[in-house]
Amino acid sequence: MSFPALVEPAAELTTDEVRRYSRHLIIPDVGMTGQKRLKNAKVLVIGAGGLGSPALLYLAAAGVGTLGIAEFDTVDESNLQRQVIHGVSDIDKPKGQSAKESIAEINPYVEVVLHPERLDNDNVFSVFEGYDLIVDGTDNFATRYMVNDAAYFLKIPYVWGSIYRFDGQASVFAPMLGEDLPCYRCLYPEPPPPGMVPSCAEGGVLGVLCASIGAIQVNEAIKLLTGIGDPIAGKLMIYDALEMEYRKLKVRKDPSCALCGENATVTGLIDYDAFCGAVSDEAAEAAVGSTISVVQLEHMLKERDNGERDFVLVDVREPNEAEINHIPGAVLIPKGEFLNGNALSQLPSDKQIVMHCKSGVRSAETLAIVKGAGYADAVHVGGGVVAWVSQIDPSQPTY
């Protein structure tokens, strides 16, 4: 299904711009009019990370006149494996500023507008207003639902992408362009249970996958802005990098969708953190009074070494994570073993169980399972191995 162009053409292209965009101009579908539309376009990219990096680079190279960047984070060394808009000299620099400088090197004719604050219910409308299109490169469910809802209320189409390990997804959500077109909630009415889907920081992502999905997002953005081709609104692109396989599934509008359905119940912005949850209610309840600090754990480990106490320290991360860093004396039993019940047979019944993960989310989830199995004195380590490396053993790498 084709749509009218989102943007009217700019008045003209300069001689320098004609030279710069000549390979676009000789494509009949784009031509002078399409390039003028790109020049006149205002696109907001949410995040200058894995997906935002290639998206921003190619939107700038394509000649999108105004690029907004909503990004509050700073560049970390671990970002450089996939966030190609940043370099070594940008470490500790605000990502938005780093991206702006890279864009200036690619295309000085692009105006960059920085939104360096974290998006929330108080500012999302003011940040979104005035843009023709949004490219969503967020990496958490709470922000994705907020972006979807805010874009729907403001009637701004947006291009969505998601990546994890070797798998990527992309779609266009634009119910304002057609009565039968779905929104993100039509595809995913409810977020997954907290802790069920690991983040890229927990599960990893193949760096080049970001370029694959980010390029799809830019391709769809150009089609929408210029009114050419058949955008993937109402479709879901699924990419498996290991099998080098693309699939396209139809996504139908859900008549009972809480946002865009016939009897909508979401009529304004909601508490998205509560809706998605950092941890489940069960995990939060289990962690109350059963969370220790890494300083306490260090003291406990010394007592164990001296024979003054005995307990089992369980690392619930994946084996490849434990190869990067570890807390000495921990036994590795991945979270999945607790979910399928196999881990309980590996735990002694006469010792206290102490659990840790990377940051404390997965260990809280497994703590709830262990307590439910009768280990009433079980605890988990708040902050996990990240806190351990930061406060106790900075000689180990972070990830």
Side-chain angles (χ1 to χ4, degrees):
M1 179 189 301
S2 60
F3 303 103
L6 291 179
V7 182
E8 292 298 318
E12 63 178 4
L13 297 179
T14 66
T15 300
D16 289 341
E17 288 172 329
V18 169
R19 283 197 300 266
R20 174 178 288 270
Y21 306 125
S22 62
R23 298 305 187 272
H24 272 179
L25 300 180
I26 59 178
I27 301 174
D29 301 77
V30 180
M32 187 68 75
T33 299
Q35 193 62 49
K36 287 180 179 178
R37 293 187 195 277
L38 292 176
K39 179 179 180 178
N40 211 27
K42 297 180 179 180
V43 176
L44 174 67
V45 177
I46 304 176
L51 291 175
S53 288
L56 285 165
L57 291 173
Y58 272 104
L59 287 168
V64 171
T66 301
L67 281 177
I69 305 175
E71 177 60 81
F72 64 92
D73 203 0
T74 56
V75 179
D76 181 79
E77 185 177 15
S78 66
N79 300 151
L80 304 184
Q81 164 257 6
R82 64 202 178 280
Q83 298 179 18
V84 293
I85 204 167
H86 312 298
V88 172
S89 63
D90 299 314
I91 292 175
D92 294 330
K93 184 184 295 183
K95 284 186 180 179
Q97 183 61 37
S98 170
K100 181 177 182 178
E101 293 169 2
S102 296
I103 289 170
E105 286 293 311
I106 292 171
N107 192 344
Y109 301 113
V110 174
E111 178 185 358
V112 176
V113 180
L114 297 182
H115 303 278
E117 63 271 26
R118 182 192 293 269
L119 284 179
D120 57 31
N121 287 14
D122 294 329
N123 63 25
V124 65
F125 284 147
S126 61
V127 171
F128 283 14
E129 285 177 347
Y131 288 100
D132 303 302
L133 182 70
I134 295 169
V135 175
D136 181 15
T138 56
D139 61 357
N140 66 86
F141 289 100
T143 307
R144 287 173 184 166
Y145 281 98
M146 180 179 64
V147 168
N148 177 75
D149 296 357
Y152 177 79
F153 293 132
L154 293 175
K155 301 187 184 307
I156 304 175
Y158 79 99
V159 185
W160 167 78
S162 176
I163 49 176
Y164 177 66
R165 290 186 175 169
F166 299 98
D167 301 317
Q169 299 181 359
S171 189
V172 169
F173 296 111
M176 64 291 299
L177 299 181
E179 293 183 357
D180 296 329
L181 295 177
C183 73
Y184 180 76
R185 286 179 180 270
C186 295
L187 177 62
Y188 296 115
E190 299 286 342
M196 184 63 68
V197 180
S199 66
C200 290
E202 294 175 342
V205 60
L206 185 69
V208 72
L209 178 67
C210 303
S212 300
I213 301 302
I216 290 176
Q217 290 182 281
V218 174
N219 185 66
E220 294 306 303
I222 291 173
K223 287 154 63 177
L224 289 163
L225 294 169
T226 59
I228 64 175
D230 182 12
I232 55 173
K235 306 178 186 72
L236 176 67
M237 290 295 303
I238 301 175
Y239 174 51
D240 182 339
L242 280 183
E243 298 296 330
M244 190 50 67
E245 178 180 82
Y246 284 93
R247 291 184 293 149
K248 186 162 61 176
L249 305 179
K250 186 172 182 62
V251 181
R252 299 185 184 277
K253 183 182 181 70
D254 182 1
S256 61
C257 175
L259 181 70
C260 67
E262 298 170 359
N263 299 296
T265 56
V266 177
T267 57
L269 300 180
I270 65 173
D271 186 337
Y272 295 96
D273 288 330
F275 177 63
C276 297
V279 295
S280 67
D281 292 340
E282 293 81 1
E285 182 179 350
V288 174
S290 298
T291 302
I292 63 171
S293 69
V294 291
V295 174
Q296 289 174 292
L297 176 61
E298 181 185 34
H299 181 69
M300 290 171 62
L301 288 170
K302 290 178 179 178
E303 289 183 331
R304 189 175 72 171
D305 291 341
N306 294 333
E308 299 172 12
R309 69 186 303 166
D310 198 8
F311 63 92
V312 177
L313 177 61
V314 181
D315 182 349
V316 301
R317 297 177 298 162
E318 297 300 311
N320 54 306
E321 293 180 89
E323 292 178 358
I324 300 173
N325 53 27
H326 66 282
I327 298 177
V331 176
L332 182 65
I333 308 178
K335 176 186 171 184
E337 294 296 297
F338 288 89
L339 295 177
N340 64 28
N342 292 336
L344 297 177
S345 63
Q346 304 177 50
L347 301 179
S349 58
D350 58 345
K351 296 180 182 180
Q352 183 184 23
I353 307 301
V354 179
M355 319 185 78
H356 86 81
C357 61
K358 179 181 180 180
S359 63
V361 175
R362 282 175 285 177
S363 59
E365 297 289 344
T366 52
L367 177 65
I369 296 173
V370 169
K371 280 182 169 289
Y375 293 84
D377 61 346
V379 296
H380 87 121
V381 182
V385 75
V386 171
W388 179 270
V389 172
S390 173
Q391 300 178 39
I392 308 300
D393 186 7
S395 65
Q396 294 196 64
T398 57
Y399 69 102

